[in-house]
Amino acid sequence: MAKTIGQEFVKGLWEEIPPFRLVLGLCPTLAVTKSVENGIGMGLATTFVLVCANILVSLLSGVIPSKIRIACFIIIIATFVTVVELMMQAYAYQLFQNLGIFIPLIVVNCIVLGRSEAFASKNKVVPSFADGLGIGIGFTISLTVISAVRESLGTGKIMGNQLFGSSFEPFSFMVEAPGAFICLGLLLCVMNMVSSK
Amino acid sequence: MPDRKKLTVSYAPFWHDGSSISTKQYHIIAATMLAVIAGLLRYGAPALGVLSLSVGSAMVWEYLMNLATRRPVSIADGNAALIGLLFGMLLPAVTPWWVVIVGTLVAVVIGKQIYGGIGGNPFNPVAVAYAILMISWPIYLDFNAALVNYSFDFPAAYPLVLMNAYGAGGIEAFSLTDFLMGRQTGGIGATFGLGLIVGGIYLMARGFIRWEIAVSFLAGIFVSALCFNLYDPEAFASPGVHLLTGFSLIGAFFLATEDSSSPVNFIPMLIYGALGGVLTVLIRNQGAHVDGVIYAILIINLINPIIDKIRPKATGRVMYHA
Amino acid sequence: MSDKKKRKVAYVIALVCLVVGIVCYAALPDRSQQEPVRVYYESTGENVLFDHQSHSRDFQLGCLDCHHEIAQKENGSHASCVSCHTAESSLVPALGEGGLFDHETHSQYYGLSCTDCHHMYDPESGTSPQNCNACHMETGDDYMPGLADSYHQQCIGCHQDFGVGPTMENCNDCHGPRKRADAFHDQCTGCHEAAKQGPVRDDCMGCHAY
Amino acid sequence: MREMVKMVIVLVVLSSLSGGLLAGLKNKYQERIDNQILTFVKGPAIHSILKDASNDPVADRFSLSINDAEKVFFVGIIDGVPRAVAFEAFGGGYGGDLGVMVAVDVQTDEIINISVTTHNETPGIGSAVETDTDFKNQFAGKKAVGDFKVKNDGGEITAMSGATVTSKAVCSAVQRAGDMYQQVKSQIKDQVKNFTG
């Protein structure tokens, strides 16, 4: 049964929300979610790449020979990633400094390549756009939630605002790498508990 | 020729000897009592506060987790209490209440319950909790900083810190008897060496813990510390000191032997324990951390499933290319 | 024991532990803040554990070698000694178990008189103590002189200076004709006896001739 | 065979389109990105050594070519007179080139102050050069054109303890800065006059 455009969009927000449901794109999820700012920045950058790559891949799907499709996808994705990188350098240099190597690494983010391969190359432009946007926004939401939990517990602040009283001693484990795994696991657990009801 | 006696079993029905999970937990709790009481006598009411809060909150977390996961309430098996007690024994006597409560939360929930409860945890819950707290709030787990208000009749600096900073010379003021009798600073229940040894021997004799792990852990510490000591007696303390300071004894008898995170076969147990001891001394002597026991135990927990593959060969096996 | 009963026992144990824990935490003040026996300094290199006792024992350092610059008379800037060394406890934890604040050392070695610390103007309330007997009881003890002693040592100084109220020259102002003898007997002979000079109690005839 | 040709054509077209797009974007935004780098990387160093300047030295700058290389000079207006220029020079440190921003007073030819911009020195040892103001203050007030050597080499600069190589790198960077200054001194003086408070 073919899904409507709306359904294609909405599925990315819960049903197939990365990285919780599609456990993909874990590298940026774990590495950049130390602060909400980074999380949102990374999410939006990925969304932009996803949407553009999806549109272009679905447009070109008739032209690209199947044997070299992965190479072509990578070229398309890498182009948009470089665009994002340049834009970020030009307009949000500090975010660029914070995210560092993880922006170029969007190229190898499984979500982006995965959507191109699994969805965009087999669908028309409009559903691909909806799919890319949905998954991208879902990814942004996930990163924001994870980073909000980590930043608030790990530093006691969100976007520089003190959350708890001054007597709060930050649980700095949460901003360390192992804290990211535990946070992701617990959120996944909560999500499964909610949806199993 | 395989040993046939090994394969001889009696006819059904089999008898249950009455021992259960809770019996084991309570015996282990009983075995800690000498060390706990020595700690309470030394540090007084604040230590009692830490220990009881730790035990109580661990049981509460277990209960809440049982409710949340809709499983039968399991606090009666004593495992939560034991986790709380062991965790409390590692803490300094003056620990803020919220550190204790967060610690038991991490131990019971993240260390044990999210893996499905008792028997499912890949790591020792107490070691997990202690390591996480050490990363987050090192100052509250620093014995030198926590115990500044206590007046002792022995040097009040944590021996491992002295060893770390000044080498073997740093602990000249102590004798091995001091360490054995608990005349050193440290965790509430981790300093009274004699009590821990007596408790450990009791548990080993009764079979509640596997002697292979505890003995090989201590042997690992002894041998590797001896090597370091022979190489440079100035810089590295003698093996006896390593055995009796820090968390060596409590780690060997009570942490490394935790059931679900330790191997079950003979040779793997020896490797597991010995590796833990060697890592402990390596971290202490070469690493930046003061005590290596907690990290050593976490690392051997990690390799446990791999080394436990070394097992006795089955006597009859399937031949594929017969 | 049935499972249910076991569980009940466990609940009771958990509850008892929690209560004991909370009581221990609530009943004991946070000892780590005030006057520690040792001081823990964090530094970028090695952290330092400073031990008061070994410094005073092994290196013969007095408290004042590090604390209080008495020479500059802290009185003005410092609220008062009592603001730190509270009257409730004369324990000085830095000195170790049972270490007491020692008046004698302070007067003998640091040349402090009682009033250097006591009887100070209180900048908070802007007053000095109004009633002598708020502190000084009828009879004194080791640390607090009795009412009469404290008057003779303390109050009279100012009265002399300003020439107001009872003064030394005029015992009669307070000790009326009858009372003067009592006063003398109670008060003066103490010093005379200690100094072995002048009229003493054992020698009634020295004053009360036939 | 036809398929082969198609594959090659598709890949070539895609790559060249991508390359073209990126080159265009890069050209368009190069200036902006340079500005951002100036603000966030070199900016703090320039501001720290030209504290007394009443203008924004990052905005007021000119470039000169020295030995066929473009060199940017930042002008600081002090007491209403454009008398300070800051520029970067490099010296070989322990972990590669070490960048030093040197501010020179064009009226007296004296060094106003120096600041380290980029370095890869050993953390905790050589990296102290970032914060060791005592070391850096030794350069202040000296003639820009002179000999800068550490005491071991017969100079008069006291090296940072344990970081002789880094100290030497700073000295050689300042030395090069002095040489450059010497070379284009008159041009600098001409240019500086154009900036007014």
Side-chain angles (χ1 to χ4, degrees), chain B residues 102-116:
Chain B
V102 173
T104 52
L105 167 75
V106 173
V108 171
V109 177
I110 293 176
K112 176 182 148 194
Q113 284 292 352
I114 57 171
Y115 297 104

Side-chain angles (χ1 to χ4, degrees), chain C residues 33-50:
Chain C
Q33 300 306 317
Q34 298 168 334
E35 302 184 46
V37 178
R38 292 173 294 280
V39 187
Y40 190 68
Y41 297 105
E42 283 181 85
S43 79
T44 47
E46 206 69 47
N47 291 342
V48 175
L49 185 66
F50 173 87

